[in-house]
Structure formats: C-alpha cells, structure tokens
Amino acid sequence: MRTHTDAHDLRHHGDAEVRDAHLTDLAVNVRAGTPPDWLRERIACSLTALAAYPDGRAARAAVARRHGVPVERVLLTAGAAEAFVLLARALTVRQPLVVHPQFTEPEAALRDAGHEVARVLLREADGFRLDPAAVPDAADLVMIGNPTNPTSVLHPAADIAGLARPGRVLVVDEAFMDAVPGESESLAGRTDIPGLVVLRSLTKTWGLAGLRIGYVLAEPETVEALERTQPLWPVATPALAAAEACMEPAALKEAAQAAHGIATERAHLLAGLAEFDEVRVVEAAEAPFVLVHVRRGAEVRERLRGLGFAARRGDTFPGLGPDWLRLAVRDRVTTNRFLQALDQALTMVGG
C-alpha cells in the first residue's frame, strides 16, 4: 500500500465557504429549516438540568432501541467527527487505509495520531463506485463513507461488508444514511460482521451542527476502548436530550419523509444541471448533495460567490481537482435561482 502526504487541505470544510459571507448556502450539507420547532423545545427544556452532570444512559438506550442492538454496542459522541479522533487514538492499527474521495476528517485524525495512511482512490470512470478488490488485504483499518461525501454514491451493503477480515477494523461513516429513503444499504443494525464500526451523525438531518451529537455502533470491546479515550462527560445535556428525541418514532417518521423530499428535490437539481454542456454530474447521487465537474470550475465557483451562492470546492478531497464542486440539495425555488446564477457564471467565464 502507498502512503500519502500530499498537499490536500484535509481540514477544509463547507462552512468555510459561507463563514463571514451573506451567501445562499449550497456548500454545507445540513438540511434547511432545521432544527424543527419541536426539537428546539426539547433542547430548551433540558436547560433546567444544566446544574447536574450529563447522564447519557437514556439517550444511549434510545439509540440502541432505534437500531435493535444491545446498549453495550452504542457510544455517544460529540458529533461523528469526534469518533474519528477516538478511533485514531484508541485502536492499535499499523496499516490504516481510507477510501477516497470521501470526508477528509478520518485521514486527518489518523495522521494527527501519528499513523501513515494509505489510500484507495475511486475513479470517475467507474462512477466512483467501490471495487472491493482494490482494498489490499494488509489494511487492518479501512474507512469508507456510505453514502459517500462528496460523491453522493451509495455503495451496496454487501460490497462494504465484504471488506471485513479477521483482524481488520471496518469503519463505515453513515452520516448521511438517514437522508436515503428506507436507509437502504445501511449496516447500522448488523452485529454479525466482525470488526464493524458504524458512525452516525444527527447534524445533517436535524440541523444540529452547533450542538455536536453523533454516535458509534460497534462491538462492545471496541466501544469500551473508544470510551476510555473520551474525556469525562463528552456529550452535553442538551445534546443528549436531542439524541433521545431524534430516536422517537415521530422523529424517525419525519426524517423518512424528509428523505423522500430530498430525493425529489435532488432529481430536480440533476435535471437542471443536465441542461449545461459545461457540467458533468456524478449520476449515481443518493445523498442530499451532488458532485459535479464544471469546466473552469474554480473560476465558476468564484463567479457564483459574486452572484450570491456558495458551492463547496472539490479540490480539498483526494482524487478530485479544482473543477469539481459539491452542491447541497435545496428547495425548488432556491435550486431554480441557483441554476440561473450558474448560467450567468458560465457565461461570464466563457470558453
């Protein structure tokens, strides 16, 4: 396996595209209009308990019930991003590998913990789809997103499960899985795959990026190792209240409805993008965002900013370059406004 120390900015995130700027946000993959009022109220009610130390037992049990797993297989984290740091620090691995293009925090966390990280780069020619045979047997930790950020590709669960090996930790980032109708291809409830670690986030669907709440589903021994690496009381009381609330049947029904709505709006965005000769779309999109290749993309992105729209640059993702942009799925009115701005931006850039 080859290790990499290239110049990709692994710490760049979509929020940097809109920070200190009054732009319509297509750069951050948080569902618009969130958190809903009922969730705000649940979080607000938890503030009366701030004098007590956080107690995560109820939230942990709620997550376990939601996925049909024993509570010993659940670890609550301060956002899914914390889990990447815990995995990098707590587990003894010698040959970690990250499947790219994907969210860059896993590799950044591994590097910060002193690991040399190998990569498998999925190709546009293959639709950025996983070829399990491309992952070397020697890798003792494999990280992959499903659906993958930024490609929006949903890999078959069987292909990912097939990566499991004796002595290997298989980490699947399912931060956007609840935005997939029916959560098809999820491995979250599986307890029969050795070494499986599934990460979930409540940030995207529920608009809780500022609260920091996610969780890990893994073998009890792995959960214990990660928990020992956490600081005391890592998840605050309001975040625990949000986690418990988001596991309730009414919340799961709302999330499922939102997933179907996102699929409809994504189809509208893809249809609009197909009208531009200068734009090439990753067709297999299943997440609340799409990845597009745009002729002279870096210039187009800057023109879009001037027209009031923020798009996520793609060149910070290993395997992509400056002509790639990631676009969050928004409501139809916003999408139509964006498509008009894109038309203007492409005309301004020309050639």
Side-chain angles (χ1 to χ4, degrees), residues 35-71:
D37 290 341
W38 64 265
L39 182 53
R40 293 174 189 264
E41 292 173 7
R42 289 286 291 272
I43 295 169
C45 287
S46 75
L47 300 182
T48 60
L50 291 185
Y53 284 95
D55 183 349
R57 288 177 295 176
R60 189 178 182 187
V63 171
R65 286 193 301 271
R66 183 256 193 271
H67 292 289
V69 299
V71 70

PDB file of all heavy atoms in Angstrom, residues 35-71:
ATOM      1  N   PRO A  35     -33.011  23.158  13.259  1.00  0.00           N
ATOM      2  CA  PRO A  35     -33.868  22.096  13.775  1.00  0.00           C
ATOM      3  C   PRO A  35     -35.338  22.515  13.818  1.00  0.00           C
ATOM      4  O   PRO A  35     -35.630  23.697  13.938  1.00  0.00           O
ATOM      5  CB  PRO A  35     -33.322  21.854  15.190  1.00  0.00           C
ATOM      6  CG  PRO A  35     -32.650  23.123  15.564  1.00  0.00           C
ATOM      7  CD  PRO A  35     -32.130  23.719  14.312  1.00  0.00           C
ATOM      8  N   PRO A  36     -36.253  21.541  13.734  1.00  0.00           N
ATOM      9  CA  PRO A  36     -37.673  21.876  13.792  1.00  0.00           C
ATOM     10  C   PRO A  36     -38.058  22.403  15.172  1.00  0.00           C
ATOM     11  O   PRO A  36     -37.339  22.197  16.158  1.00  0.00           O
ATOM     12  CB  PRO A  36     -38.352  20.538  13.483  1.00  0.00           C
ATOM     13  CG  PRO A  36     -37.351  19.505  13.843  1.00  0.00           C
ATOM     14  CD  PRO A  36     -36.017  20.101  13.564  1.00  0.00           C
ATOM     15  N   ASP A  37     -39.204  23.065  15.233  1.00  0.00           N
ATOM     16  CA  ASP A  37     -39.620  23.703  16.487  1.00  0.00           C
ATOM     17  C   ASP A  37     -39.714  22.712  17.636  1.00  0.00           C
ATOM     18  O   ASP A  37     -39.304  23.016  18.773  1.00  0.00           O
ATOM     19  CB  ASP A  37     -40.973  24.401  16.296  1.00  0.00           C
ATOM     20  CG  ASP A  37     -40.868  25.636  15.418  1.00  0.00           C
ATOM     21  OD1 ASP A  37     -39.750  26.147  15.253  1.00  0.00           O
ATOM     22  OD2 ASP A  37     -41.905  26.093  14.899  1.00  0.00           O
ATOM     23  N   TRP A  38     -40.264  21.521  17.375  1.00  0.00           N
ATOM     24  CA  TRP A  38     -40.424  20.558  18.476  1.00  0.00           C
ATOM     25  C   TRP A  38     -39.083  20.139  19.067  1.00  0.00           C
ATOM     26  O   TRP A  38     -38.969  19.908  20.282  1.00  0.00           O
ATOM     27  CB  TRP A  38     -41.213  19.327  18.020  1.00  0.00           C
ATOM     28  CG  TRP A  38     -40.543  18.503  16.955  1.00  0.00           C
ATOM     29  CD1 TRP A  38     -40.736  18.581  15.613  1.00  0.00           C
ATOM     30  CD2 TRP A  38     -39.559  17.480  17.152  1.00  0.00           C
ATOM     31  NE1 TRP A  38     -39.943  17.678  14.953  1.00  0.00           N
ATOM     32  CE2 TRP A  38     -39.209  16.984  15.877  1.00  0.00           C
ATOM     33  CE3 TRP A  38     -38.958  16.929  18.286  1.00  0.00           C
ATOM     34  CZ2 TRP A  38     -38.274  15.967  15.708  1.00  0.00           C
ATOM     35  CZ3 TRP A  38     -38.018  15.918  18.117  1.00  0.00           C
ATOM     36  CH2 TRP A  38     -37.692  15.449  16.840  1.00  0.00           C
ATOM     37  N   LEU A  39     -38.059  20.076  18.200  1.00  0.00           N
ATOM     38  CA  LEU A  39     -36.742  19.682  18.690  1.00  0.00           C
ATOM     39  C   LEU A  39     -36.098  20.831  19.460  1.00  0.00           C
ATOM     40  O   LEU A  39     -35.443  20.618  20.494  1.00  0.00           O
ATOM     41  CB  LEU A  39     -35.861  19.240  17.516  1.00  0.00           C
ATOM     42  CG  LEU A  39     -34.463  18.743  17.857  1.00  0.00           C
ATOM     43  CD1 LEU A  39     -34.501  17.640  18.910  1.00  0.00           C
ATOM     44  CD2 LEU A  39     -33.755  18.242  16.594  1.00  0.00           C
ATOM     45  N   ARG A  40     -36.288  22.049  18.984  1.00  0.00           N
ATOM     46  CA  ARG A  40     -35.789  23.208  19.737  1.00  0.00           C
ATOM     47  C   ARG A  40     -36.382  23.230  21.146  1.00  0.00           C
ATOM     48  O   ARG A  40     -35.687  23.521  22.129  1.00  0.00           O
ATOM     49  CB  ARG A  40     -36.157  24.502  19.012  1.00  0.00           C
ATOM     50  CG  ARG A  40     -35.471  24.726  17.669  1.00  0.00           C
ATOM     51  CD  ARG A  40     -36.058  25.975  17.025  1.00  0.00           C
ATOM     52  NE  ARG A  40     -35.611  26.159  15.658  1.00  0.00           N
ATOM     53  CZ  ARG A  40     -34.589  26.923  15.288  1.00  0.00           C
ATOM     54  NH1 ARG A  40     -33.915  27.580  16.216  1.00  0.00           N
ATOM     55  NH2 ARG A  40     -34.255  27.035  14.028  1.00  0.00           N
ATOM     56  N   GLU A  41     -37.680  22.923  21.243  1.00  0.00           N
ATOM     57  CA  GLU A  41     -38.347  22.934  22.541  1.00  0.00           C
ATOM     58  C   GLU A  41     -37.779  21.862  23.465  1.00  0.00           C
ATOM     59  O   GLU A  41     -37.575  22.098  24.661  1.00  0.00           O
ATOM     60  CB  GLU A  41     -39.848  22.743  22.343  1.00  0.00           C
ATOM     61  CG  GLU A  41     -40.527  23.926  21.662  1.00  0.00           C
ATOM     62  CD  GLU A  41     -41.972  23.648  21.312  1.00  0.00           C
ATOM     63  OE1 GLU A  41     -42.494  22.580  21.710  1.00  0.00           O
ATOM     64  OE2 GLU A  41     -42.592  24.503  20.641  1.00  0.00           O
ATOM     65  N   ARG A  42     -37.517  20.669  22.917  1.00  0.00           N
ATOM     66  CA  ARG A  42     -36.949  19.595  23.739  1.00  0.00           C
ATOM     67  C   ARG A  42     -35.560  19.994  24.250  1.00  0.00           C
ATOM     68  O   ARG A  42     -35.212  19.720  25.413  1.00  0.00           O
ATOM     69  CB  ARG A  42     -36.873  18.300  22.936  1.00  0.00           C
ATOM     70  CG  ARG A  42     -38.220  17.665  22.656  1.00  0.00           C
ATOM     71  CD  ARG A  42     -38.792  17.004  23.910  1.00  0.00           C
ATOM     72  NE  ARG A  42     -38.040  15.839  24.304  1.00  0.00           N
ATOM     73  CZ  ARG A  42     -38.269  14.615  23.852  1.00  0.00           C
ATOM     74  NH1 ARG A  42     -39.255  14.394  22.972  1.00  0.00           N
ATOM     75  NH2 ARG A  42     -37.560  13.590  24.276  1.00  0.00           N
ATOM     76  N   ILE A  43     -34.787  20.606  23.386  1.00  0.00           N
ATOM     77  CA  ILE A  43     -33.444  21.052  23.795  1.00  0.00           C
ATOM     78  C   ILE A  43     -33.556  22.143  24.847  1.00  0.00           C
ATOM     79  O   ILE A  43     -32.833  22.137  25.858  1.00  0.00           O
ATOM     80  CB  ILE A  43     -32.649  21.533  22.567  1.00  0.00           C
ATOM     81  CG1 ILE A  43     -32.385  20.361  21.614  1.00  0.00           C
ATOM     82  CG2 ILE A  43     -31.337  22.186  22.996  1.00  0.00           C
ATOM     83  CD1 ILE A  43     -31.847  20.779  20.258  1.00  0.00           C
ATOM     84  N   ALA A  44     -34.472  23.081  24.642  1.00  0.00           N
ATOM     85  CA  ALA A  44     -34.646  24.170  25.597  1.00  0.00           C
ATOM     86  C   ALA A  44     -35.073  23.648  26.964  1.00  0.00           C
ATOM     87  O   ALA A  44     -34.599  24.132  28.009  1.00  0.00           O
ATOM     88  CB  ALA A  44     -35.667  25.174  25.075  1.00  0.00           C
ATOM     89  N   CYS A  45     -35.946  22.649  26.988  1.00  0.00           N
ATOM     90  CA  CYS A  45     -36.398  22.080  28.262  1.00  0.00           C
ATOM     91  C   CYS A  45     -35.250  21.447  29.040  1.00  0.00           C
ATOM     92  O   CYS A  45     -35.264  21.403  30.277  1.00  0.00           O
ATOM     93  CB  CYS A  45     -37.490  21.047  28.017  1.00  0.00           C
ATOM     94  SG  CYS A  45     -39.082  21.766  27.530  1.00  0.00           S
ATOM     95  N   SER A  46     -34.241  20.971  28.336  1.00  0.00           N
ATOM     96  CA  SER A  46     -33.114  20.319  29.010  1.00  0.00           C
ATOM     97  C   SER A  46     -32.243  21.309  29.773  1.00  0.00           C
ATOM     98  O   SER A  46     -31.448  20.905  30.628  1.00  0.00           O
ATOM     99  CB  SER A  46     -32.249  19.563  27.990  1.00  0.00           C
ATOM    100  OG  SER A  46     -31.463  20.458  27.211  1.00  0.00           O
ATOM    101  N   LEU A  47     -32.393  22.588  29.488  1.00  0.00           N
ATOM    102  CA  LEU A  47     -31.530  23.590  30.116  1.00  0.00           C
ATOM    103  C   LEU A  47     -31.779  23.712  31.610  1.00  0.00           C
ATOM    104  O   LEU A  47     -30.907  24.176  32.349  1.00  0.00           O
ATOM    105  CB  LEU A  47     -31.729  24.948  29.438  1.00  0.00           C
ATOM    106  CG  LEU A  47     -31.404  25.008  27.937  1.00  0.00           C
ATOM    107  CD1 LEU A  47     -31.607  26.422  27.405  1.00  0.00           C
ATOM    108  CD2 LEU A  47     -29.972  24.537  27.660  1.00  0.00           C
ATOM    109  N   THR A  48     -32.942  23.270  32.077  1.00  0.00           N
ATOM    110  CA  THR A  48     -33.209  23.321  33.515  1.00  0.00           C
ATOM    111  C   THR A  48     -32.364  22.314  34.286  1.00  0.00           C
ATOM    112  O   THR A  48     -32.275  22.401  35.513  1.00  0.00           O
ATOM    113  CB  THR A  48     -34.693  23.049  33.795  1.00  0.00           C
ATOM    114  OG1 THR A  48     -35.043  21.748  33.301  1.00  0.00           O
ATOM    115  CG2 THR A  48     -35.575  24.102  33.126  1.00  0.00           C
ATOM    116  N   ALA A  49     -31.736  21.373  33.566  1.00  0.00           N
ATOM    117  CA  ALA A  49     -30.932  20.336  34.226  1.00  0.00           C
ATOM    118  C   ALA A  49     -29.434  20.598  34.117  1.00  0.00           C
ATOM    119  O   ALA A  49     -28.628  19.708  34.407  1.00  0.00           O
ATOM    120  CB  ALA A  49     -31.255  18.969  33.627  1.00  0.00           C
ATOM    121  N   LEU A  50     -29.051  21.792  33.738  1.00  0.00           N
ATOM    122  CA  LEU A  50     -27.632  22.056  33.495  1.00  0.00           C
ATOM    123  C   LEU A  50     -26.780  22.037  34.761  1.00  0.00           C
ATOM    124  O   LEU A  50     -25.545  21.924  34.672  1.00  0.00           O
ATOM    125  CB  LEU A  50     -27.458  23.402  32.783  1.00  0.00           C
ATOM    126  CG  LEU A  50     -27.956  23.475  31.339  1.00  0.00           C
ATOM    127  CD1 LEU A  50     -27.597  24.819  30.721  1.00  0.00           C
ATOM    128  CD2 LEU A  50     -27.382  22.338  30.498  1.00  0.00           C
ATOM    129  N   ALA A  51     -27.382  22.146  35.925  1.00  0.00           N
ATOM    130  CA  ALA A  51     -26.597  22.106  37.159  1.00  0.00           C
ATOM    131  C   ALA A  51     -26.086  20.697  37.454  1.00  0.00           C
ATOM    132  O   ALA A  51     -25.123  20.529  38.210  1.00  0.00           O
ATOM    133  CB  ALA A  51     -27.425  22.614  38.332  1.00  0.00           C
ATOM    134  N   ALA A  52     -26.720  19.698  36.858  1.00  0.00           N
ATOM    135  CA  ALA A  52     -26.301  18.308  37.073  1.00  0.00           C
ATOM    136  C   ALA A  52     -25.344  17.871  35.971  1.00  0.00           C
ATOM    137  O   ALA A  52     -25.397  18.370  34.844  1.00  0.00           O
ATOM    138  CB  ALA A  52     -27.524  17.391  37.088  1.00  0.00           C
ATOM    139  N   TYR A  53     -24.471  16.924  36.288  1.00  0.00           N
ATOM    140  CA  TYR A  53     -23.582  16.384  35.272  1.00  0.00           C
ATOM    141  C   TYR A  53     -24.393  15.593  34.245  1.00  0.00           C
ATOM    142  O   TYR A  53     -25.411  14.984  34.589  1.00  0.00           O
ATOM    143  CB  TYR A  53     -22.524  15.487  35.912  1.00  0.00           C
ATOM    144  CG  TYR A  53     -21.441  16.263  36.616  1.00  0.00           C
ATOM    145  CD1 TYR A  53     -21.524  16.516  37.980  1.00  0.00           C
ATOM    146  CD2 TYR A  53     -20.341  16.753  35.911  1.00  0.00           C
ATOM    147  CE1 TYR A  53     -20.545  17.239  38.643  1.00  0.00           C
ATOM    148  CE2 TYR A  53     -19.347  17.484  36.566  1.00  0.00           C
ATOM    149  CZ  TYR A  53     -19.460  17.721  37.925  1.00  0.00           C
ATOM    150  OH  TYR A  53     -18.491  18.443  38.564  1.00  0.00           O
ATOM    151  N   PRO A  54     -23.963  15.589  32.980  1.00  0.00           N
ATOM    152  CA  PRO A  54     -24.721  14.878  31.945  1.00  0.00           C
ATOM    153  C   PRO A  54     -24.835  13.389  32.246  1.00  0.00           C
ATOM    154  O   PRO A  54     -23.880  12.756  32.700  1.00  0.00           O
ATOM    155  CB  PRO A  54     -23.885  15.112  30.676  1.00  0.00           C
ATOM    156  CG  PRO A  54     -23.087  16.346  30.958  1.00  0.00           C
ATOM    157  CD  PRO A  54     -22.793  16.304  32.431  1.00  0.00           C
ATOM    158  N   ASP A  55     -26.006  12.836  31.977  1.00  0.00           N
ATOM    159  CA  ASP A  55     -26.267  11.406  32.158  1.00  0.00           C
ATOM    160  C   ASP A  55     -26.768  10.868  30.814  1.00  0.00           C
ATOM    161  O   ASP A  55     -27.902  11.139  30.406  1.00  0.00           O
ATOM    162  CB  ASP A  55     -27.318  11.191  33.243  1.00  0.00           C
ATOM    163  CG  ASP A  55     -27.588   9.719  33.533  1.00  0.00           C
ATOM    164  OD1 ASP A  55     -27.118   8.862  32.753  1.00  0.00           O
ATOM    165  OD2 ASP A  55     -28.277   9.440  34.526  1.00  0.00           O
ATOM    166  N   GLY A  56     -25.940  10.115  30.135  1.00  0.00           N
ATOM    167  CA  GLY A  56     -26.257   9.677  28.787  1.00  0.00           C
ATOM    168  C   GLY A  56     -26.989   8.354  28.700  1.00  0.00           C
ATOM    169  O   GLY A  56     -27.206   7.860  27.587  1.00  0.00           O
ATOM    170  N   ARG A  57     -27.405   7.798  29.812  1.00  0.00           N
ATOM    171  CA  ARG A  57     -27.985   6.452  29.776  1.00  0.00           C
ATOM    172  C   ARG A  57     -29.273   6.385  28.959  1.00  0.00           C
ATOM    173  O   ARG A  57     -29.462   5.458  28.159  1.00  0.00           O
ATOM    174  CB  ARG A  57     -28.226   5.946  31.203  1.00  0.00           C
ATOM    175  CG  ARG A  57     -26.947   5.598  31.956  1.00  0.00           C
ATOM    176  CD  ARG A  57     -27.245   5.181  33.374  1.00  0.00           C
ATOM    177  NE  ARG A  57     -27.822   6.305  34.145  1.00  0.00           N
ATOM    178  CZ  ARG A  57     -28.240   6.193  35.401  1.00  0.00           C
ATOM    179  NH1 ARG A  57     -28.157   5.032  36.039  1.00  0.00           N
ATOM    180  NH2 ARG A  57     -28.754   7.254  36.030  1.00  0.00           N
ATOM    181  N   ALA A  58     -30.153   7.345  29.123  1.00  0.00           N
ATOM    182  CA  ALA A  58     -31.424   7.303  28.398  1.00  0.00           C
ATOM    183  C   ALA A  58     -31.204   7.473  26.897  1.00  0.00           C
ATOM    184  O   ALA A  58     -31.820   6.772  26.083  1.00  0.00           O
ATOM    185  CB  ALA A  58     -32.371   8.377  28.927  1.00  0.00           C
ATOM    186  N   ALA A  59     -30.336   8.397  26.529  1.00  0.00           N
ATOM    187  CA  ALA A  59     -30.065   8.614  25.106  1.00  0.00           C
ATOM    188  C   ALA A  59     -29.383   7.401  24.495  1.00  0.00           C
ATOM    189  O   ALA A  59     -29.697   6.997  23.365  1.00  0.00           O
ATOM    190  CB  ALA A  59     -29.205   9.862  24.926  1.00  0.00           C
ATOM    191  N   ARG A  60     -28.477   6.811  25.234  1.00  0.00           N
ATOM    192  CA  ARG A  60     -27.774   5.622  24.731  1.00  0.00           C
ATOM    193  C   ARG A  60     -28.752   4.464  24.520  1.00  0.00           C
ATOM    194  O   ARG A  60     -28.700   3.769  23.496  1.00  0.00           O
ATOM    195  CB  ARG A  60     -26.680   5.240  25.725  1.00  0.00           C
ATOM    196  CG  ARG A  60     -25.738   4.156  25.240  1.00  0.00           C
ATOM    197  CD  ARG A  60     -24.671   3.895  26.287  1.00  0.00           C
ATOM    198  NE  ARG A  60     -23.710   2.896  25.843  1.00  0.00           N
ATOM    199  CZ  ARG A  60     -22.760   2.384  26.629  1.00  0.00           C
ATOM    200  NH1 ARG A  60     -22.647   2.787  27.885  1.00  0.00           N
ATOM    201  NH2 ARG A  60     -21.923   1.483  26.146  1.00  0.00           N
ATOM    202  N   ALA A  61     -29.668   4.295  25.466  1.00  0.00           N
ATOM    203  CA  ALA A  61     -30.669   3.237  25.336  1.00  0.00           C
ATOM    204  C   ALA A  61     -31.602   3.512  24.161  1.00  0.00           C
ATOM    205  O   ALA A  61     -32.014   2.583  23.455  1.00  0.00           O
ATOM    206  CB  ALA A  61     -31.467   3.125  26.633  1.00  0.00           C
ATOM    207  N   ALA A  62     -31.919   4.789  23.930  1.00  0.00           N
ATOM    208  CA  ALA A  62     -32.795   5.141  22.810  1.00  0.00           C
ATOM    209  C   ALA A  62     -32.135   4.813  21.477  1.00  0.00           C
ATOM    210  O   ALA A  62     -32.785   4.312  20.548  1.00  0.00           O
ATOM    211  CB  ALA A  62     -33.161   6.620  22.882  1.00  0.00           C
ATOM    212  N   VAL A  63     -30.854   5.093  21.363  1.00  0.00           N
ATOM    213  CA  VAL A  63     -30.125   4.755  20.136  1.00  0.00           C
ATOM    214  C   VAL A  63     -30.106   3.247  19.937  1.00  0.00           C
ATOM    215  O   VAL A  63     -30.301   2.739  18.821  1.00  0.00           O
ATOM    216  CB  VAL A  63     -28.691   5.328  20.183  1.00  0.00           C
ATOM    217  CG1 VAL A  63     -27.869   4.797  19.011  1.00  0.00           C
ATOM    218  CG2 VAL A  63     -28.720   6.854  20.162  1.00  0.00           C
ATOM    219  N   ALA A  64     -29.860   2.513  21.012  1.00  0.00           N
ATOM    220  CA  ALA A  64     -29.820   1.044  20.920  1.00  0.00           C
ATOM    221  C   ALA A  64     -31.170   0.501  20.444  1.00  0.00           C
ATOM    222  O   ALA A  64     -31.219  -0.380  19.574  1.00  0.00           O
ATOM    223  CB  ALA A  64     -29.442   0.449  22.270  1.00  0.00           C
ATOM    224  N   ARG A  65     -32.274   1.014  21.001  1.00  0.00           N
ATOM    225  CA  ARG A  65     -33.601   0.561  20.580  1.00  0.00           C
ATOM    226  C   ARG A  65     -33.854   0.893  19.115  1.00  0.00           C
ATOM    227  O   ARG A  65     -34.409   0.081  18.370  1.00  0.00           O
ATOM    228  CB  ARG A  65     -34.684   1.216  21.440  1.00  0.00           C
ATOM    229  CG  ARG A  65     -34.791   0.671  22.842  1.00  0.00           C
ATOM    230  CD  ARG A  65     -36.081   1.137  23.500  1.00  0.00           C
ATOM    231  NE  ARG A  65     -36.172   2.604  23.554  1.00  0.00           N
ATOM    232  CZ  ARG A  65     -35.699   3.334  24.549  1.00  0.00           C
ATOM    233  NH1 ARG A  65     -35.102   2.758  25.584  1.00  0.00           N
ATOM    234  NH2 ARG A  65     -35.842   4.650  24.541  1.00  0.00           N
ATOM    235  N   ARG A  66     -33.435   2.072  18.711  1.00  0.00           N
ATOM    236  CA  ARG A  66     -33.679   2.501  17.325  1.00  0.00           C
ATOM    237  C   ARG A  66     -33.034   1.565  16.314  1.00  0.00           C
ATOM    238  O   ARG A  66     -33.554   1.295  15.252  1.00  0.00           O
ATOM    239  CB  ARG A  66     -33.171   3.940  17.157  1.00  0.00           C
ATOM    240  CG  ARG A  66     -33.434   4.553  15.780  1.00  0.00           C
ATOM    241  CD  ARG A  66     -32.130   4.565  14.979  1.00  0.00           C
ATOM    242  NE  ARG A  66     -32.221   5.394  13.799  1.00  0.00           N
ATOM    243  CZ  ARG A  66     -32.629   4.986  12.610  1.00  0.00           C
ATOM    244  NH1 ARG A  66     -33.011   3.737  12.440  1.00  0.00           N
ATOM    245  NH2 ARG A  66     -32.656   5.811  11.581  1.00  0.00           N
ATOM    246  N   HIS A  67     -31.855   1.047  16.663  1.00  0.00           N
ATOM    247  CA  HIS A  67     -31.127   0.178  15.729  1.00  0.00           C
ATOM    248  C   HIS A  67     -31.233  -1.305  16.086  1.00  0.00           C
ATOM    249  O   HIS A  67     -30.661  -2.143  15.370  1.00  0.00           O
ATOM    250  CB  HIS A  67     -29.664   0.598  15.664  1.00  0.00           C
ATOM    251  CG  HIS A  67     -29.456   1.939  15.021  1.00  0.00           C
ATOM    252  ND1 HIS A  67     -29.626   2.147  13.679  1.00  0.00           N
ATOM    253  CD2 HIS A  67     -29.124   3.146  15.570  1.00  0.00           C
ATOM    254  CE1 HIS A  67     -29.394   3.421  13.396  1.00  0.00           C
ATOM    255  NE2 HIS A  67     -29.085   4.046  14.512  1.00  0.00           N
ATOM    256  N   GLY A  68     -31.929  -1.622  17.158  1.00  0.00           N
ATOM    257  CA  GLY A  68     -32.116  -3.016  17.526  1.00  0.00           C
ATOM    258  C   GLY A  68     -30.844  -3.719  17.945  1.00  0.00           C
ATOM    259  O   GLY A  68     -30.638  -4.904  17.618  1.00  0.00           O
ATOM    260  N   VAL A  69     -29.984  -3.007  18.681  1.00  0.00           N
ATOM    261  CA  VAL A  69     -28.719  -3.594  19.137  1.00  0.00           C
ATOM    262  C   VAL A  69     -28.615  -3.450  20.650  1.00  0.00           C
ATOM    263  O   VAL A  69     -29.276  -2.591  21.249  1.00  0.00           O
ATOM    264  CB  VAL A  69     -27.510  -2.914  18.457  1.00  0.00           C
ATOM    265  CG1 VAL A  69     -27.570  -3.091  16.951  1.00  0.00           C
ATOM    266  CG2 VAL A  69     -27.425  -1.431  18.825  1.00  0.00           C
ATOM    267  N   PRO A  70     -27.783  -4.259  21.302  1.00  0.00           N
ATOM    268  CA  PRO A  70     -27.577  -4.095  22.744  1.00  0.00           C
ATOM    269  C   PRO A  70     -26.962  -2.739  23.057  1.00  0.00           C
ATOM    270  O   PRO A  70     -26.172  -2.198  22.264  1.00  0.00           O
ATOM    271  CB  PRO A  70     -26.619  -5.241  23.097  1.00  0.00           C
ATOM    272  CG  PRO A  70     -26.760  -6.223  21.983  1.00  0.00           C
ATOM    273  CD  PRO A  70     -27.051  -5.421  20.759  1.00  0.00           C
ATOM    274  N   VAL A  71     -27.286  -2.202  24.212  1.00  0.00           N
ATOM    275  CA  VAL A  71     -26.784  -0.886  24.583  1.00  0.00           C
ATOM    276  C   VAL A  71     -25.266  -0.876  24.683  1.00  0.00           C
ATOM    277  O   VAL A  71     -24.620   0.170  24.496  1.00  0.00           O
ATOM    278  CB  VAL A  71     -27.446  -0.431  25.907  1.00  0.00           C
ATOM    279  CG1 VAL A  71     -26.938  -1.250  27.088  1.00  0.00           C
ATOM    280  CG2 VAL A  71     -27.245   1.050  26.125  1.00  0.00           C
TER     281      VAL A  71
END
